[in-house]
Amino acid sequence: MNTTAHPFEQPITERQEIPVRFGEDGGKFYYYYDQLADELDEDLTKRLKSQLDSLLIFVQFFSLSLLLVQAEAGVVI
C-alpha cells in the first residue's frame, strides 16, 4: 500500500481548463478515471456477491425439496 499522498486527491472545487489535446492534463484524467472505476467495480462486486448468495440458498432449498419428494416416493438415486 502506498502511504504517500497523491497530488490529485484534493476535491475538485472549480472547473478546470480543458486541455487542447488529450493527455495534456498531467495524468489527472487517468487518476480520476481509475478512482471512479474502482468505486464502480467494488459496488458491482458487492451486488453480484449478494445476488449469488441468494441464488445459492434457493438452489440448496430446491435440491433438498427434490430429495425429500424422491424419498417419500421411494425413488432410489
Side-chain angles (χ1 to χ4, degrees), residues 1-76:
M1 182 172 165
N2 191 0
T3 58
T4 59
H6 200 279
F8 303 134
E9 288 184 358
Q10 294 84 19
I12 299 173
T13 57
E14 59 187 43
R15 185 174 164 202
Q16 301 292 322
E17 185 75 27
I18 298 174
V20 177
R21 292 178 28 171
F22 183 77
E24 293 181 344
D25 62 349
K28 291 179 185 176
F29 172 80
Y30 293 110
Y31 174 76
Y32 290 118
Y33 175 82
D34 285 340
Q35 295 295 318
L36 179 62
D38 287 343
E39 289 176 20
L40 293 174
D41 288 346
E42 186 175 329
D43 181 50
L44 178 65
T45 303
K46 286 180 183 178
R47 285 187 290 126
L48 289 176
K49 281 183 180 180
S50 69
Q51 291 174 359
L52 184 60
D53 288 344
S54 300
L55 181 64
L56 289 174
I57 291 171
F58 171 76
V59 168
Q60 288 175 343
F61 284 135
F62 184 73
S63 64
L64 178 62
S65 67
L66 285 178
L67 288 174
L68 291 175
V69 167
Q70 288 176 350
E72 286 181 6
V75 177
V76 178

